[in-house]
Amino acid sequence: MASVSAPSAALAPRRPSASAALLFPYPYSSPRVSPSPTAQPRRLAVAARAMPWPHVLTVAGSDSGAGAGIQADIKASAALGAYCSSVITAVTAQNTVGVQGVHAVPEEFVGEQLRSVLSDMSVDVVKTGMLPSAGIVKVLCENLRKFPVKALVVDPVMVSTSGDTLSGPSTLATFRDELFPMADIVTPNVKEASKLLGDVSLQTISDMRSAAESIYKLGPKHVLVKGGDMPDSTDAIDVFFDGKEFIELRGLRIKTRNTHGTGCTLASCIAAELAKGATMLHAVEVAKKFVESALYHSKDRVIGNGPQGPFDHLFSLKSPLHKMGSLHKFNPDDLFLYAVTDSGMNKKWGRSIKDAVKAAIEGGATIVQLREKDTETREFLEAAKACVDICRSSGVPLLINDRIDVALACNADGVHVGQSDMPAWEVRELLGPGKIIGVSCKTPAQAEQAWKDGADYIGSGGVFPTTTKANNPTLGFEGLRAVCSASKLPVVAIGGINTGNAGSVMELGLPNLKGVAVVSALFDRECVATETRSLRSILMNACSRS
Ligand SMILES: Cc1ncc(COP(=O)(O)OP(=O)(O)O)c(N)n1
Ligand SMILES: Cc1ncsc1CCOP(=O)(O)O
Ligand SMILES: [Mg+2]
C-alpha cells in the first residue's frame, strides 16, 4: 500500500496511458499537438498533460563526481524512460577516491524545493537518497503528507561506498520512526541494514532474511536487503521481503572497479519502473538487471584515479528499445505449456501463423514462440506484430526464435536462442533488462554459461527423437536430468514430446523442470486448440500425481 496516498491505489498505474507508453515509444504513440501561436498558456498546459511521462522526484545529495547521488538518479530514471526532478539535500565534494566534503542544504530550503516541485508537477514516485539530518527527514515527511504520491522508495544512504559517513546516527531514529512507515520499499545494503538494527552482524543469507523481517516491522511495505557487499561469491544475492514471502534475487557479480552509485541507481530504477506502472517485484527485478547490464557495459571504462569509478547509465542509448521493457515480469510457470510454431506445418494444414497462435492460446498454451525458419522477413514481421497483439490481450508472453531483429521490431516479450545463434549476453545487450531470454542447452556446461550470460530459462532437448529439427541429438531423461540439476534456471523440455509421453516427462519430478515445449504435437495436427487442450490436461494430471 502506498504510504502517502490512498492505500488502494497504491502501486497501480495512475494513468491508463502510462503502460501504453511502454508499448509505443512516445514519438509514435502520442497525439501530436501543434502549438498555435495564439494558444493560451493554460490550453498548452492541458495538451502537455495528455502526454504520459512517468515522473520520479529524487530527494538526495549531489555528487560532484556524478557517479552517485542526484546525478545517478537522473541518469538512471531517464535511461528507463521516466522524467526525474530533483530536490538537493546536500552538496558533496567527492570523486573516485572518496568524499572530501559535505555541505548540507538548510532544511527550510529543502522544504522550499519540495514545495516547488510537488505543488506544480505531477510526481508519481518519490525516491530518497542522502538525507543528512533529522530535520530534513521531517520536512520531507511533512511534504509527502501534504502532497501525496503513488509510491515512496527509500534508499537509506548512510555511508558512501568509499566508507565515508553521509548521514549521522541522529537521523537513524527519524528514519525508523517517521520515514520507514511511509515507504513502499526500503533498500538497505548489508552495512546499512546492520546499522539500522543496532549494528547486528550480517554474514549469511539467513541473516539477511532476519534483517529484512526486522526492517519490515518498522513499517515499509517491502524491504530489499542488498547482498552486493557479502563475502565473495559468483552471485550477487539480494533478499526481497513483502511481509509474507522471502525471495532471493540472484544476479551476476560483475568484476569491475566501477561500482560507485549502484545503490542510488538501483533505487531510482525501482522508482522509475513503479512510476511506469510495474508491480514492486517486477520493478526490483528490472532494476537489478539494469544495474547488472550497466556494470557489464562499463566494466573496463576508466574515469579518475581512485579505487571506485562510476558506470555508464546511458549504455542503453546504443539500443533505445531497452526503454520499452516488458509489460509483465517473467514467471517461470509460464513455461508449463510452451507452443512453438512451424510455418511448414501450419501451411500444410491451411492456417496462418496468427490463426495457429490464436488456437494454441484458446487451448491453453501458457507461452508462445514463433519459430519460422522458412518465412520471409517481411511476412514474418507482419505475422509477429499480429501475434504480439493477440498474446498481449491474453496475457501470454510471445517469444521469437533466433531473430533478434524481428523481436525488436515487433516488441516481443523475448527471444529464444540456441548454441549456434547470437550469444545470450549479446542478446541481453540488445533487448535490455526487461525482456525474456531462453537458451537451448544440452549439457551442464552450456547451462552454466546460460546463467552467466543472463538467460531467464533453458530449453533442453530433444528429450525424445524428433523429425522437426534435423540432426538434433536425443538427450533422453538422463540428459535432461543432468541439465536441470546443473542449473538454477527454470527449464522447459523439448523434442518429440506429445500427449503420449508428456506425462512421463513431468513425472520425473525435477524441481526446476517447469513444462514442455512442443511443435508437431500441436501444429502438425488438424485442430490446434483441441490438441493443446488435451496436452494441458495431461500435464495437469501428471503434476498433480508427482
Ligand atoms: C523452448 C525451446 N527450446 C529449444 C529450442 C531450440 O533452439 P535452437 O537450439 O536454437 O534450435 P532452433 O529452434 O533455432 O532450430 C527452441 N526453439 N525452443
Ligand atoms: C526446436 C527443437 N529443439 C530441440 S528439439 C526441437 C524440435 C521439437 O519439435 P517437436 O515437438 O515437433 O518434436
Ligand atoms: Mg536457434
Side-chain angles (χ1 to χ4, degrees), residues 3-26:
S3 46
V4 282
S5 60
S8 59
L11 301 174
R14 188 161 70 182
R15 297 170 285 212
S17 45
S19 55
L22 296 176
L23 285 177
F24 309 107
Y26 303 118

Short mmCIF file of all heavy atoms in Angstrom, two decimals, residues 3-26:
data_model
loop_
_atom_site.label_atom_id
_atom_site.label_comp_id
_atom_site.label_asym_id
_atom_site.label_seq_id
_atom_site.Cartn_x
_atom_site.Cartn_y
_atom_site.Cartn_z
N SER A 3 2.30 4.51 0.99
CA SER A 3 2.37 5.10 2.30
C SER A 3 1.68 6.44 2.35
O SER A 3 1.09 6.80 3.33
CB SER A 3 3.84 5.33 2.56
OG SER A 3 4.37 5.92 1.40
N VAL A 4 1.79 7.16 1.29
CA VAL A 4 1.45 8.56 1.38
C VAL A 4 0.23 8.92 0.56
O VAL A 4 -0.13 10.08 0.48
CB VAL A 4 2.66 9.41 0.95
CG1 VAL A 4 3.66 9.47 2.05
CG2 VAL A 4 3.30 8.84 -0.30
N SER A 5 -0.38 7.96 -0.09
CA SER A 5 -1.57 8.29 -0.86
C SER A 5 -2.66 7.30 -0.51
O SER A 5 -2.50 6.49 0.37
CB SER A 5 -1.25 8.24 -2.35
OG SER A 5 -0.84 6.95 -2.67
N ALA A 6 -3.76 7.36 -1.24
CA ALA A 6 -4.86 6.44 -0.98
C ALA A 6 -4.35 5.01 -1.08
O ALA A 6 -3.78 4.61 -2.09
CB ALA A 6 -5.94 6.68 -2.03
N PRO A 7 -4.52 4.21 -0.01
CA PRO A 7 -3.91 2.89 0.01
C PRO A 7 -4.32 2.01 -1.16
O PRO A 7 -3.51 1.31 -1.73
CB PRO A 7 -4.39 2.27 1.33
CG PRO A 7 -4.83 3.44 2.15
CD PRO A 7 -5.20 4.53 1.22
N SER A 8 -5.56 2.03 -1.60
CA SER A 8 -5.98 1.09 -2.63
C SER A 8 -5.35 1.39 -3.98
O SER A 8 -5.18 0.53 -4.81
CB SER A 8 -7.49 1.09 -2.76
OG SER A 8 -7.88 2.40 -3.09
N ALA A 9 -4.97 2.63 -4.18
CA ALA A 9 -4.39 2.99 -5.49
C ALA A 9 -2.91 2.70 -5.53
O ALA A 9 -2.25 2.93 -6.53
CB ALA A 9 -4.62 4.47 -5.77
N ALA A 10 -2.43 2.14 -4.38
CA ALA A 10 -1.00 2.06 -4.13
C ALA A 10 -0.08 1.99 -5.34
O ALA A 10 0.50 2.98 -5.73
CB ALA A 10 -0.74 0.87 -3.24
N LEU A 11 0.06 0.83 -5.93
CA LEU A 11 1.06 0.71 -6.96
C LEU A 11 0.45 0.51 -8.32
O LEU A 11 1.12 0.12 -9.25
CB LEU A 11 2.01 -0.43 -6.61
CG LEU A 11 2.71 -0.22 -5.28
CD1 LEU A 11 3.53 -1.43 -4.89
CD2 LEU A 11 3.58 1.02 -5.33
N ALA A 12 -0.82 0.74 -8.43
CA ALA A 12 -1.46 0.58 -9.74
C ALA A 12 -1.12 1.78 -10.61
O ALA A 12 -0.88 2.86 -10.09
CB ALA A 12 -2.97 0.52 -9.55
N PRO A 13 -1.08 1.57 -11.94
CA PRO A 13 -0.78 2.72 -12.78
C PRO A 13 -1.83 3.81 -12.56
O PRO A 13 -3.02 3.50 -12.52
CB PRO A 13 -0.86 2.19 -14.20
CG PRO A 13 -1.02 0.72 -14.09
CD PRO A 13 -1.37 0.38 -12.69
N ARG A 14 -1.39 5.05 -12.37
CA ARG A 14 -2.35 6.10 -12.09
C ARG A 14 -3.07 6.51 -13.36
O ARG A 14 -4.21 6.88 -13.36
CB ARG A 14 -1.62 7.28 -11.50
CG ARG A 14 -2.57 8.33 -11.01
CD ARG A 14 -1.93 9.25 -10.05
NE ARG A 14 -0.97 10.09 -10.72
CZ ARG A 14 -0.22 10.97 -10.06
NH1 ARG A 14 -0.31 11.05 -8.76
NH2 ARG A 14 0.62 11.73 -10.69
N ARG A 15 -2.33 6.43 -14.50
CA ARG A 15 -2.96 6.84 -15.74
C ARG A 15 -2.93 5.65 -16.68
O ARG A 15 -1.87 5.04 -16.85
CB ARG A 15 -2.18 8.00 -16.35
CG ARG A 15 -2.19 9.22 -15.46
CD ARG A 15 -1.22 10.22 -15.96
NE ARG A 15 0.14 9.81 -15.66
CZ ARG A 15 1.12 10.66 -15.42
NH1 ARG A 15 0.88 11.93 -15.45
NH2 ARG A 15 2.32 10.25 -15.17
N PRO A 16 -4.06 5.28 -17.27
CA PRO A 16 -4.06 4.09 -18.11
C PRO A 16 -3.04 4.18 -19.23
O PRO A 16 -2.45 3.20 -19.64
CB PRO A 16 -5.48 4.04 -18.69
CG PRO A 16 -6.21 5.20 -18.14
CD PRO A 16 -5.35 5.93 -17.18
N SER A 17 -2.77 5.37 -19.70
CA SER A 17 -1.87 5.51 -20.83
C SER A 17 -0.41 5.30 -20.45
O SER A 17 0.43 5.17 -21.31
CB SER A 17 -2.05 6.88 -21.44
OG SER A 17 -2.11 7.82 -20.42
N ALA A 18 -0.12 5.23 -19.13
CA ALA A 18 1.27 5.07 -18.74
C ALA A 18 1.82 3.75 -19.26
O ALA A 18 2.95 3.65 -19.70
CB ALA A 18 1.41 5.12 -17.22
N SER A 19 1.02 2.66 -19.23
CA SER A 19 1.55 1.39 -19.70
C SER A 19 1.61 1.36 -21.22
O SER A 19 2.47 0.73 -21.80
CB SER A 19 0.74 0.23 -19.17
OG SER A 19 -0.60 0.43 -19.51
N ALA A 20 0.70 2.05 -21.87
CA ALA A 20 0.76 2.11 -23.32
C ALA A 20 2.07 2.75 -23.77
O ALA A 20 2.62 2.41 -24.81
CB ALA A 20 -0.41 2.91 -23.87
N ALA A 21 2.57 3.64 -22.93
CA ALA A 21 3.82 4.31 -23.29
C ALA A 21 4.96 3.32 -23.40
O ALA A 21 5.94 3.57 -24.09
CB ALA A 21 4.16 5.36 -22.22
N LEU A 22 4.85 2.18 -22.71
CA LEU A 22 5.90 1.18 -22.80
C LEU A 22 5.85 0.47 -24.14
O LEU A 22 6.85 0.06 -24.69
CB LEU A 22 5.70 0.13 -21.71
CG LEU A 22 5.82 0.61 -20.30
CD1 LEU A 22 5.49 -0.52 -19.36
CD2 LEU A 22 7.24 1.08 -20.07
N LEU A 23 4.64 0.30 -24.64
CA LEU A 23 4.50 -0.45 -25.88
C LEU A 23 4.85 0.40 -27.07
O LEU A 23 5.39 -0.07 -28.04
CB LEU A 23 3.04 -0.89 -26.03
CG LEU A 23 2.63 -2.05 -25.15
CD1 LEU A 23 1.16 -2.33 -25.35
CD2 LEU A 23 3.44 -3.26 -25.54
N PHE A 24 4.46 1.64 -27.04
CA PHE A 24 4.66 2.50 -28.18
C PHE A 24 5.48 3.70 -27.74
O PHE A 24 5.01 4.51 -26.97
CB PHE A 24 3.30 2.97 -28.72
CG PHE A 24 2.36 1.84 -28.94
CD1 PHE A 24 1.30 1.63 -28.11
CD2 PHE A 24 2.59 0.95 -29.98
CE1 PHE A 24 0.44 0.55 -28.29
CE2 PHE A 24 1.73 -0.12 -30.17
CZ PHE A 24 0.66 -0.32 -29.32
N PRO A 25 6.71 3.82 -28.21
CA PRO A 25 7.53 4.94 -27.79
C PRO A 25 6.84 6.26 -28.11
O PRO A 25 6.11 6.34 -29.09
CB PRO A 25 8.82 4.79 -28.57
CG PRO A 25 8.73 3.51 -29.31
CD PRO A 25 7.34 2.99 -29.20
N TYR A 26 7.08 7.25 -27.29
CA TYR A 26 6.32 8.49 -27.37
C TYR A 26 6.18 9.10 -28.76
O TYR A 26 5.10 9.50 -29.13
CB TYR A 26 6.92 9.53 -26.41
CG TYR A 26 6.96 9.02 -25.02
CD1 TYR A 26 8.15 8.86 -24.33
CD2 TYR A 26 5.78 8.63 -24.38
CE1 TYR A 26 8.17 8.34 -23.05
CE2 TYR A 26 5.80 8.12 -23.11
CZ TYR A 26 7.00 7.99 -22.44
OH TYR A 26 7.02 7.49 -21.20
#
